[in-house]
Amino acid sequence: MWKKFSQAFYSEHGLAFKAFTFKMNNHCLKIVPAQLSDLSKILLLESRVYQGYLPWNSKIFQAELCKNDSLYLLVYKETALIALAGIRLQDKEAHITNLAVDPAWQNHGLGTYLIQLLSKFAKKQQCYLISLEVRADNERARLLYESLGFRVRFVHANYYQDVQQDGLGMILELRH
């Protein structure tokens, strides 16, 4: 299903990452670190994923893309941005900050692949734990994370204030 066939070094802000091209279900896709110049494409992707709503505005993304302890990966099919995944590292712990897959590409394994890729990246950075938050009512995402070994550690009451939903803090222990 997944076949990696080329690599090149990329880095602008934050953590270094080797960009690569891979095949998924006969589609050629490329994963690259996000750049500030990608901001408008990122916002369009978020708008598609969340039906016009933007959980993160341009200032939040801009700040995140400039952090030295963060990495945001973009998945392209040709020139179309189809997915985004972000991670922040701090004190040997990693936190997945964002995961967005274009609705047309959901249920094809891309979200799973990105979580696994971020987990491998965190492990290479000597992290022992990876965490994330998910809306308590987002059963589909919660089931995905649980299938990858994440477990609920705590509940953040009213974490998603804009939609008045609790957040589940989930963790995955990384084995070295």
Side-chain angles (χ1 to χ4, degrees):
M1 180 165 128
W2 302 95
K3 184 180 178 186
K4 188 168 38 166
F5 60 88
S6 72
Q7 291 191 354
F9 183 78
Y10 266 81
S11 181
E12 182 185 52
H13 297 98
L15 303 166
F17 182 82
K18 291 182 180 180
F20 61 91
T21 305
F22 66 103
K23 282 197 174 196
M24 181 185 84
N25 301 329
N26 296 320
H27 294 282
C28 184
L29 304 177
K30 186 169 187 173
I31 296 182
V32 300
Q35 312 287 329
L36 286 173
S37 59
D38 299 312
L39 194 53
S40 61
K41 290 181 181 181
I42 291 170
L43 293 172
L44 285 173
L45 173 65
E46 287 271 302
S47 181
R48 285 193 310 273
V49 170
Y50 296 101
Q51 298 86 36
Y53 171 71
L54 292 176
W56 286 15
N57 62 34
S58 63
K59 288 183 182 183
I60 294 172
F61 271 115
Q62 187 173 12
E64 285 293 311
L65 292 175
C66 290
K67 289 182 178 177
N68 290 330
D69 61 354
S70 295
L71 173 67
Y72 284 80
L73 301 177
L74 305 179
V75 181
Y76 283 95
K77 173 152 183 354
E78 298 169 2
T79 60
L81 177 60
I82 62 169
L84 158 79
I87 192 168
R88 184 179 307 122
L89 306 182
Q90 185 176 12
D91 298 327
K92 300 299 178 190
E93 290 186 16
H95 181 75
I96 296 174
T97 56
N98 203 316
L99 178 66
V101 177
D102 188 288
W105 283 86
Q106 292 177 5
N107 300 314
H108 294 281
L110 191 51
T112 298
Y113 181 76
L114 287 170
I115 296 293
Q116 291 172 333
L117 182 65
L118 291 177
S119 297
K120 287 177 188 175
F121 179 81
K123 195 172 179 179
K124 284 184 181 179
Q125 303 300 314
Q126 304 300 312
C127 292
Y128 66 91
L129 178 89
I130 191 164
S131 63
L132 56 82
E133 276 86 32
V134 62
R135 274 179 36 177
D137 67 343
N138 190 344
E139 185 176 355
R140 190 166 143 203
R142 184 182 49 78
L143 290 173
L144 166 66
Y145 301 139
E146 287 175 351
S147 76
L148 295 170
F150 284 84
R151 60 182 169 79
V152 175
R153 183 172 173 183
F154 48 83
V155 176
H156 295 287
N158 204 29
Y159 183 79
Y160 298 94
Q161 295 176 359
D162 53 339
V163 290
Q164 299 180 350
Q165 282 292 321
D166 293 345
L168 302 177
M170 300 184 80
I171 62 165
L172 173 68
E173 293 178 21
L174 301 173
R175 306 213 191 305
H176 292 276

Tab-separated table of all heavy atoms in Angstrom, residues 81-103:
chain	number	residue	atom	x	y	z
A	81	LEU	N	-3.007	20.337	-1.821
A	81	LEU	CA	-2.739	19.960	-0.438
A	81	LEU	C	-3.903	19.102	0.056
A	81	LEU	O	-5.051	19.538	0.042
A	81	LEU	CB	-2.602	21.213	0.434
A	81	LEU	CG	-2.382	20.970	1.928
A	81	LEU	CD1	-1.101	20.170	2.178
A	81	LEU	CD2	-2.344	22.296	2.669
A	82	ILE	N	-3.590	17.865	0.490
A	82	ILE	CA	-4.657	16.949	0.892
A	82	ILE	C	-4.612	16.562	2.369
A	82	ILE	O	-5.561	15.965	2.868
A	82	ILE	CB	-4.685	15.686	0.013
A	82	ILE	CG1	-3.387	14.899	0.135
A	82	ILE	CG2	-4.979	16.058	-1.440
A	82	ILE	CD1	-3.451	13.511	-0.490
A	83	ALA	N	-3.521	16.901	3.062
A	83	ALA	CA	-3.451	16.563	4.484
A	83	ALA	C	-2.377	17.396	5.174
A	83	ALA	O	-1.443	17.887	4.535
A	83	ALA	CB	-3.176	15.075	4.683
A	84	LEU	N	-2.547	17.503	6.485
A	84	LEU	CA	-1.643	18.255	7.344
A	84	LEU	C	-1.517	17.504	8.654
A	84	LEU	O	-2.511	16.966	9.166
A	84	LEU	CB	-2.235	19.646	7.615
A	84	LEU	CG	-1.759	20.401	8.842
A	84	LEU	CD1	-0.409	21.044	8.570
A	84	LEU	CD2	-2.760	21.467	9.232
A	85	ALA	N	-0.315	17.475	9.198
A	85	ALA	CA	-0.101	16.894	10.525
A	85	ALA	C	0.977	17.716	11.224
A	85	ALA	O	1.986	18.070	10.618
A	85	ALA	CB	0.329	15.440	10.424
A	86	GLY	N	0.743	18.022	12.504
A	86	GLY	CA	1.703	18.814	13.262
A	86	GLY	C	2.075	18.159	14.573
A	86	GLY	O	1.265	17.460	15.188
A	87	ILE	N	3.317	18.397	14.987
A	87	ILE	CA	3.820	17.840	16.240
A	87	ILE	C	4.731	18.879	16.902
A	87	ILE	O	5.410	19.639	16.223
A	87	ILE	CB	4.577	16.514	15.989
A	87	ILE	CG1	4.858	15.774	17.285
A	87	ILE	CG2	5.845	16.743	15.180
A	87	ILE	CD1	5.341	14.340	17.076
A	88	ARG	N	4.696	18.881	18.230
A	88	ARG	CA	5.588	19.746	19.011
A	88	ARG	C	6.338	18.865	20.001
A	88	ARG	O	5.740	17.983	20.628
A	88	ARG	CB	4.797	20.802	19.767
A	88	ARG	CG	5.676	21.795	20.518
A	88	ARG	CD	4.898	22.880	21.261
A	88	ARG	NE	3.966	23.548	20.369
A	88	ARG	CZ	2.641	23.608	20.593
A	88	ARG	NH1	2.109	23.026	21.645
A	88	ARG	NH2	1.856	24.240	19.751
A	89	LEU	N	7.641	19.105	20.149
A	89	LEU	CA	8.471	18.339	21.068
A	89	LEU	C	8.873	19.224	22.242
A	89	LEU	O	9.244	20.386	22.050
A	89	LEU	CB	9.734	17.839	20.376
A	89	LEU	CG	9.543	17.042	19.092
A	89	LEU	CD1	10.890	16.584	18.561
A	89	LEU	CD2	8.622	15.866	19.280
A	90	GLN	N	8.796	18.651	23.460
A	90	GLN	CA	9.206	19.390	24.642
A	90	GLN	C	9.579	18.402	25.739
A	90	GLN	O	8.772	17.539	26.112
A	90	GLN	CB	8.077	20.298	25.128
A	90	GLN	CG	8.470	21.182	26.277
A	90	GLN	CD	7.355	22.143	26.671
A	90	GLN	OE1	6.222	22.015	26.235
A	90	GLN	NE2	7.685	23.094	27.507
A	91	ASP	N	10.797	18.527	26.243
A	91	ASP	CA	11.256	17.689	27.356
A	91	ASP	C	11.035	16.204	27.109
A	91	ASP	O	10.493	15.490	27.946
A	91	ASP	CB	10.575	18.105	28.665
A	91	ASP	CG	10.903	19.535	29.058
A	91	ASP	OD1	12.025	19.982	28.762
A	91	ASP	OD2	10.027	20.193	29.650
A	92	LYS	N	11.437	15.746	25.956
A	92	LYS	CA	11.349	14.319	25.587
A	92	LYS	C	9.916	13.797	25.495
A	92	LYS	O	9.674	12.597	25.551
A	92	LYS	CB	12.184	13.438	26.519
A	92	LYS	CG	13.659	13.796	26.516
A	92	LYS	CD	14.256	13.623	25.141
A	92	LYS	CE	15.711	14.028	25.112
A	92	LYS	NZ	16.280	14.103	23.792
A	93	GLU	N	8.973	14.715	25.384
A	93	GLU	CA	7.584	14.351	25.120
A	93	GLU	C	7.171	15.023	23.818
A	93	GLU	O	7.622	16.122	23.506
A	93	GLU	CB	6.656	14.804	26.247
A	93	GLU	CG	6.842	14.027	27.522
A	93	GLU	CD	5.809	14.385	28.583
A	93	GLU	OE1	4.778	15.003	28.258
A	93	GLU	OE2	6.047	14.026	29.754
A	94	ALA	N	6.323	14.357	23.068
A	94	ALA	CA	5.813	14.897	21.811
A	94	ALA	C	4.308	15.087	21.941
A	94	ALA	O	3.637	14.317	22.628
A	94	ALA	CB	6.129	13.939	20.670
A	95	HIS	N	3.816	16.108	21.282
A	95	HIS	CA	2.379	16.374	21.299
A	95	HIS	C	1.906	16.623	19.876
A	95	HIS	O	2.433	17.502	19.190
A	95	HIS	CB	2.074	17.591	22.178
A	95	HIS	CG	0.622	17.898	22.258
A	95	HIS	ND1	-0.247	17.138	23.015
A	95	HIS	CD2	-0.135	18.837	21.647
A	95	HIS	CE1	-1.473	17.629	22.882
A	95	HIS	NE2	-1.433	18.654	22.054
A	96	ILE	N	0.947	15.833	19.423
A	96	ILE	CA	0.355	16.051	18.108
A	96	ILE	C	-0.601	17.224	18.238
A	96	ILE	O	-1.575	17.166	18.988
A	96	ILE	CB	-0.342	14.787	17.585
A	96	ILE	CG1	0.699	13.684	17.369
A	96	ILE	CG2	-1.108	15.094	16.293
A	96	ILE	CD1	0.133	12.346	16.982
A	97	THR	N	-0.309	18.285	17.515
A	97	THR	CA	-1.069	19.523	17.637
A	97	THR	C	-2.215	19.606	16.640
A	97	THR	O	-3.213	20.276	16.900
A	97	THR	CB	-0.164	20.736	17.419
A	97	THR	OG1	0.484	20.604	16.145
A	97	THR	CG2	0.887	20.838	18.521
A	98	ASN	N	-2.057	18.937	15.499
A	98	ASN	CA	-3.064	19.079	14.452
A	98	ASN	C	-2.984	17.896	13.495
A	98	ASN	O	-1.891	17.425	13.191
A	98	ASN	CB	-2.804	20.382	13.678
A	98	ASN	CG	-4.036	20.906	12.991
A	98	ASN	OD1	-4.785	20.159	12.383
A	98	ASN	ND2	-4.243	22.210	13.075
A	99	LEU	N	-4.129	17.446	13.052
A	99	LEU	CA	-4.229	16.428	12.017
A	99	LEU	C	-5.474	16.748	11.207
A	99	LEU	O	-6.570	16.822	11.758
A	99	LEU	CB	-4.337	15.021	12.612
A	99	LEU	CG	-4.504	13.881	11.601
A	99	LEU	CD1	-3.258	13.727	10.735
A	99	LEU	CD2	-4.827	12.575	12.304
A	100	ALA	N	-5.286	16.971	9.918
A	100	ALA	CA	-6.409	17.285	9.045
A	100	ALA	C	-6.209	16.568	7.716
A	100	ALA	O	-5.161	16.717	7.085
A	100	ALA	CB	-6.508	18.794	8.819
A	101	VAL	N	-7.204	15.802	7.313
A	101	VAL	CA	-7.169	15.079	6.037
A	101	VAL	C	-8.377	15.511	5.231
A	101	VAL	O	-9.510	15.469	5.729
A	101	VAL	CB	-7.169	13.544	6.244
A	101	VAL	CG1	-7.201	12.817	4.918
A	101	VAL	CG2	-5.957	13.122	7.077
A	102	ASP	N	-8.134	15.925	4.003
A	102	ASP	CA	-9.210	16.345	3.108
A	102	ASP	C	-10.296	15.272	3.090
A	102	ASP	O	-9.997	14.073	3.012
A	102	ASP	CB	-8.650	16.554	1.702
A	102	ASP	CG	-9.658	17.167	0.769
A	102	ASP	OD1	-10.617	16.459	0.388
A	102	ASP	OD2	-9.487	18.337	0.401
A	103	PRO	N	-11.570	15.666	3.172
A	103	PRO	CA	-12.657	14.672	3.200
A	103	PRO	C	-12.592	13.663	2.046
A	103	PRO	O	-12.919	12.490	2.248
A	103	PRO	CB	-13.921	15.533	3.108
A	103	PRO	CG	-13.526	16.829	3.726
A	103	PRO	CD	-12.076	17.043	3.336
